[in-house]
Amino acid sequence: MSQTRAYAAHAADQPLAPFTFERRQPRPDDVAIEILYCGVCHSDLHFARNDWGMTRFPIVPGHEIVGRVTAVGDDVSRFQVGDMVGVGCMVDSCRHCQPCQDGVEQFCLEGFTMTYGSDDRQDGTMTQGGYSDSVVVSEHFVLRMPEGLDPAAAAPILCAGITTYSPLRHYGVKAGHKVGVIGMGGLGHMGVKLAKALGAEVTVFTRSDAKVEEARRHGADHVVVSSDQAQMDAVAETYDFMLDTVPVQHDLNPYLAALKYDGTHILVGLLDPIEPAIEGFNLVFKRRVLAGSLIGGIPETQELLDFCAEHDITCDIETIDIQDINTAYERMEKGDVRYRFVIDMASLKNASAD
Ligand SMILES: [Zn+2]
Ligand SMILES: [Zn+2]
């Protein structure tokens, strides 16, 4: 066992605070990683606050991990000490069911092992995430970070990036397609960059005039202010795909009406009941499809990292020290982040030792 320094939530109503715990010694197929950077995802905040009623405390959040290999188990063949690697939202799965064999471990029939807050499949201890100085992960769930990608700005590719890339790839988005991206947060701005790099013509839908310029800066060809009925009317039956990154309830009907016949509306952020209700008319009369998508499998995540290196795509980030994490959470709740916080884990060395 090795002592790991971290920041953890100790209760739903308390700020994150320093925490020390033990990571396992590497098993034969494990890679030990010194964490350099960790992105801050909205899921981290929901977990720390127990918004989904499933959190066991203390919990160390963080599933956008980039670091350097410090040790490998005897059976590890793909990584060596010194390699730059990444770990995303999953650290294990059953590895034998059909989804696992298909490389879509996020759909594992037994449920995938989350990077934090899950039970380890072998020893039953709870997994702890990347707001820490090290992590030990089976090599199957470790990604290779390509050279040339800034490691801090690449960290959010491991969650925000794959969440938007996977559906674009699954539905074969390519040149000639018109893609709408709803919402311009951490997910949305990555969706714009990735859809553009795949060759699509991209329109951002935003409720605020203030984000029009930002959307164009990220490469959007067009911006529609969705609160402006005239602008929405003008784009009726225009899009092949709608990538919907909005995590709170919103009316899908105006967006469905903006799809061509056979168009597909893809939810990646909304887990709650759809409210207001969908008019069946909006689907039936144009053979439209309403779909959902969850992160992406390990092979596709590696493909995405290589794609981002090739196309020089990273996330727009604001780097913070771990001591600033509680302020960062408060700012995230207000939507005050452009577009992702990433923790420089060197700051953990300055945390009070306790
Ligand atoms: Zn995430
Ligand atoms: Zn499985």
Side-chain angles (χ1 to χ4, degrees), residues 184-237:
M184 268 293 287
L187 293 175
H189 96 289
M190 288 304 288
V192 172
K193 294 181 188 195
L194 294 167
K196 280 297 292 178
L198 288 166
E201 184 178 329
V202 178
T203 299
V204 166
F205 289 81
T206 173
R207 277 185 304 175
S208 83
D209 284 314
K211 291 208 172 166
V212 171
E213 274 316 304
E214 286 177 40
R216 290 193 189 280
R217 188 165 55 78
H218 292 304
D221 299 291
H222 316 280
V223 183
V224 170
V225 178
S226 57
S227 53
D228 181 336
Q229 189 59 48
Q231 289 192 38
M232 290 300 286
D233 289 346
V235 296
E237 300 198 49

Side-chain angles (χ1 to χ4, degrees), residues 93-97 100 108-110:
S93 68
C94 87
R95 308 192 194 193
H96 54 69
C97 73
C100 284
C108 175
L109 296 180
E110 296 183 8

Side-chain angles (χ1 to χ4, degrees), residues 295-307:
I295 50 176
I298 294 299
E300 194 170 60
T301 306
Q302 187 63 60
E303 175 191 305
L304 169 61
L305 287 165
D306 297 337
F307 179 85

Side-chain angles (χ1 to χ4, degrees), residues 11-162:
D13 57 356
Q14 285 175 28
L16 271 66
F19 175 59
T20 302
F21 66 105
E22 290 189 334
R23 296 276 191 200
R24 66 175 183 258
Q25 287 298 332
R27 299 169 185 147
D29 68 331
D30 273 344
V31 175
I33 301 162
E34 177 195 8
I35 300 176
L36 301 176
Y37 297 99
C38 186
V40 181
C41 175
H42 273 272
S43 304
D44 300 350
L45 193 157
H46 289 305
F47 251 89
R49 306 246 164 108
N50 197 19
D51 289 340
W52 295 326
M54 60 193 285
T55 306
R56 288 168 287 165
F57 295 98
I59 185 134
V60 179
H63 60 204
E64 298 179 343
I65 297 167
V66 173
R68 198 176 287 284
V69 175
T70 55
V72 295
D74 289 343
D75 296 345
V76 170
S77 58
R78 294 168 45 235
F79 298 100
Q80 296 181 348
V81 171
D83 286 351
M84 285 292 288
V85 295
V87 177
C89 307
M90 301 184 283
V91 290
D92 206 354
S93 68
C94 87
R95 308 192 194 193
H96 54 69
C97 73
Q98 194 63 54
C100 284
Q101 287 183 35
D102 291 343
V104 284
E105 300 88 347
Q106 74 271 34
F107 305 133
C108 175
L109 296 180
E110 296 183 8
F112 67 85
T113 305
M114 299 184 294
T115 301
Y116 57 84
S118 279
D119 291 329
D120 179 84
R121 294 183 119 80
Q122 293 185 44
D123 63 24
T125 59
M126 193 178 81
T127 56
Q128 296 283 22
Y131 297 4
S132 58
D133 60 15
S134 66
V135 66
V136 179
V137 180
S138 168
E139 75 166 328
H140 182 83
F141 287 82
V142 176
L143 290 312
R144 182 172 299 283
M145 298 303 291
E147 282 183 26
L149 272 187
D150 176 72
I157 293 170
L158 296 159
C159 175
I162 190 62

Side-chain angles (χ1 to χ4, degrees), residues 154-169:
I157 293 170
L158 296 159
C159 175
I162 190 62
T163 296
T164 49
Y165 180 77
S166 184
L168 296 173
R169 282 286 283 144

